[in-house]
Amino acid sequence: MSALDVTPAQFRRLADRISSLAEQWLADLDSRRIAPDTTGAVTEALFAEGLPEEGLKDAALEALKPVMDGSRAGNARFLAYVFGSGEPVGVLGDYVASVINQNVTAWRSAPTIVSLERSVVRSLARAVGCDGFTGSFAGGGSAANLMGLAMAREALAPANEEGSPSGVVYASSEVHMSIPKAMALLGLGRKNLRLIPVDSEWRMRPELLERAIAEDRAAGRRPLAVVATAGTVNTGAVDPLPEVSRIARAQGLWMHVDGAYGALAAMALPDAFEGMSLADSLSMDAHKWLYQPVDCGVLLFRDPGAARKAFSFSGDYVRTMNADAVEGFAFFDESMELSRRARALKVWLSVRYHGLAAFREAIRRDVENARRMESLIRAAPELELLAPARLSAVCFRYAGRVPDSERDAFNARLMARINARGRAYLSNATLHGRFVLRACFVNHRTSPEDVDTVMAEVLAAAGELL
């Protein structure tokens, strides 16, 4: 027996203790401070001794409680960032994924999980109106966006061509930070990312996109791809996808949709995402608006051949010798990853348990909660709404009794004060150069009463500062 082995009975004892900690965490979630009462010095001190030379056995688990106590509590009033709420059945799916420990890289390595992932991908594509698309799970929207642009580059300007990599990519000025990062990683360069201005609703302006492409062609540059956003991180804006697609097709460009935040809301709000199925590739995050534990990104694409052209560079040691369409399938031929966790298992188990209808209803409720907050902001004379809540992001700031020149600084202090009080947690955005508070509803736990509590917290914190 290896020194690393534990008996089934020992495993059960350890698992029971951890299950008890998890049960207590969930039981206390609503009453916990969202921002833990800790400091950097305290958290560093927790781990200052490093890793032990001799094992602590069962006593090793005693350190889990301070780890959990110093963690952010994603309860019903956590509305910062675009971060899902960790649906508990999905957590159990992650547990099973770790126990069976499959490398979901090819069917021969993980037969049932590879077939499961392919089925889940097809089902999610169908659920968001992209029936017929295929794809794979990834670490998150950043990885999915990187792969989508890699496919665009290899389809239209392969890196092994003389003078490549090259090509201009177009996106709105509200594009997510992962896109310029992908440009750098692919060797295209951030200088070749052309940012298109947005309209009054924070959506890309198609006529300016068309003009930018024409200007680049006239200057001898090579237009490559358009990134349309289905749910901008600041305001939740959805670019005019049909018009963007028309321009991309007419110009022979790849169309990638960054739907990391919003795309899964098409399950419940299909009209808001008209034209999304016209994309060549699409990213979305199940750990956002499908409420799954991180990490759980997805890349969908129309043409598997384009994925294989970008990613199929296999050495003899992994080459698949089986000609069967299923048994010879390998995700490493269609993805940048070789080692791959069974990310789809939690989604499969979670949706089997609750059903797609339950997730559609949860998404609708998030949108209704955002509308409720928007209405309360409009009704409060001391608050100012900065952007319409098109999906579930609400941007606002405190304006009462604060001179305009001081509002940015005041609202930055206000956000810190709200979060320090521990009952609500908001993030921020910058709109038209102004600092604003931002609440984003991608939380299956949030109720209308929680929205009212958050707004009361905003006003109470402002009162303290004033």
Side-chain angles (χ1 to χ4, degrees):
M1 182 176 180
S2 166
L4 297 179
D5 278 332
V6 297
T7 67
Q10 288 172 321
F11 180 82
R12 176 59 183 264
R13 185 175 69 251
L14 295 171
D16 284 347
R17 286 185 63 185
I18 291 174
S19 292
S20 294
L21 287 171
E23 180 183 8
Q24 194 62 52
W25 171 270
L26 292 172
D28 297 343
L29 194 57
D30 195 57
S31 59
R32 282 182 178 271
R33 288 180 52 88
I34 297 177
D37 188 13
T38 191
T39 65
V42 169
T43 60
E44 290 292 300
L46 283 174
F47 311 105
E49 292 183 1
L51 298 174
E53 182 63 29
E54 300 297 328
L56 305 176
K57 305 307 179 189
D58 287 18
L61 273 62
E62 293 171 6
L64 283 175
K65 189 175 188 306
V67 168
M68 297 174 79
D69 287 344
S71 297
R72 175 192 47 76
N75 68 23
R77 295 172 300 283
F78 176 79
L79 303 176
Y81 324 125
V82 190
F83 193 74
S85 40
E87 189 280 308
V89 178
V91 172
L92 298 177
D94 250 354
Y95 181 8
V96 176
S98 292
V99 170
I100 61 175
N101 194 34
Q102 304 288 284
N103 184 4
V104 192
T105 189
W107 185 91
R108 69 184 183 196
S109 301
T112 54
I113 305 298
V114 164
S115 288
L116 179 153
E117 179 169 335
R118 297 179 75 189
S119 172
V120 171
V121 166
R122 290 192 298 267
S123 295
L124 291 180
R126 190 178 309 117
V128 299
C130 295
D131 195 14
F133 280 48
T134 186
S136 62
F137 277 75
S142 294
N145 286 336
L146 174 62
M147 288 194 289
L149 286 182
M151 290 172 63
R153 199 269 308 276
E154 291 305 297
L156 300 178
N160 59 1
E161 277 189 2
E162 186 177 347
S164 292
S166 65
V168 181
V169 175
Y170 305 84
S172 89
S173 57
E174 292 291 291
V175 71
H176 187 260
M177 60 181 282
S178 61
I179 300 301
K181 184 179 290 190
M183 295 289 289
L185 291 172
L186 290 169
L188 294 169
R190 294 177 184 175
K191 64 179 174 51
N192 283 321
L193 177 62
R194 197 77 69 242
L195 298 181
I196 307 302
V198 295
D199 62 18
S200 60
E201 295 187 359
W202 305 96
R203 304 176 305 170
M204 183 193 297
R205 293 177 58 184
E207 75 280 8
L208 298 184
L209 168 64
E210 209 158 18
R211 182 188 304 171
I213 295 170
E215 289 172 352
D216 281 326
R217 288 199 192 281
R221 292 183 283 267
R222 185 178 194 173
L224 176 66
V226 182
V227 177
T229 303
T232 59
V233 72
N234 280 337
T235 65
V238 178
D239 286 336
L241 303 177
E243 291 88 342
V244 172
S245 171
R246 177 188 59 77
I247 294 168
R249 292 287 175 270
Q251 297 290 336
L253 307 186
W254 186 277
M255 178 179 170
H256 176 72
V257 172
D258 176 6
Y261 165 18
L264 280 159
M267 292 170 50
L269 308 167
D271 292 348
F273 298 89
E274 180 189 356
M276 194 161 70
S277 63
L278 301 172
D280 294 296
S281 55
L282 163 68
S283 67
M284 54 191 192
D285 277 350
H287 61 233
K288 292 185 171 70
W289 229 337
L290 210 59
Y291 314 106
Q292 297 301 302
V294 291
D295 55 13
C296 205
V298 182
L299 174 68
L300 299 179
F301 41 78
R302 178 184 303 281
D303 178 13
R308 288 192 288 272
K309 184 176 180 182
F311 303 116
S312 182
F313 299 98
S314 303
D316 285 340
Y317 52 90
V318 293
R319 184 167 293 132
T320 314
M321 303 301 181
N322 196 320
D324 182 84
V326 174
E327 295 179 18
F329 178 81
F331 276 116
F332 59 69
D333 281 332
E334 298 183 2
S335 164
M336 69 179 184
E337 294 182 307
L338 182 55
S339 299
R340 302 179 71 254
R341 177 175 171 76
R343 299 183 181 101
L345 182 54
K346 55 192 167 192
V347 178
W348 177 80
L349 187 64
S350 180
V351 176
R352 279 179 63 84
Y353 186 91
H354 295 292
L356 283 171
F359 287 94
R360 289 191 179 96
E361 180 54 35
I363 292 168
R364 290 189 192 100
R365 189 165 73 162
D366 277 334
V367 173
E368 289 167 3
N369 284 332
R371 299 287 183 272
R372 182 181 185 89
M373 178 176 276
E374 183 180 42
S375 177
L376 292 171
I377 291 166
R378 292 185 187 279
E382 57 269 75
L383 299 179
E384 179 184 8
L385 188 72
L386 271 293
R390 294 302 180 198
L391 287 181
S392 67
V394 185
C395 294
F396 67 103
R397 65 178 182 168
Y398 190 90
R401 296 166 53 193
V402 180
D404 188 64
S405 62
E406 299 175 16
R407 286 178 186 171
D408 283 354
F410 180 85
N411 279 276
R413 289 174 20 237
L414 175 58
M415 183 183 74
R417 184 61 191 152
I418 292 165
N419 295 346
R421 284 167 61 93
R423 298 194 68 211
Y425 203 97
L426 303 179
S427 59
N428 61 281
T430 300
L431 299 179
H432 292 313
R434 294 177 289 184
F435 183 98
V436 301
L437 304 177
R438 177 179 167 282
C440 188
F441 294 84
V442 284
N443 190 330
H444 73 277
R445 299 183 174 99
T446 309
S447 69
E449 292 74 25
D450 290 309
V451 177
D452 297 347
T453 299
V454 170
M455 295 310 299
E457 284 291 300
V458 169
L459 296 176
E464 290 176 357
L465 292 180
L466 290 169

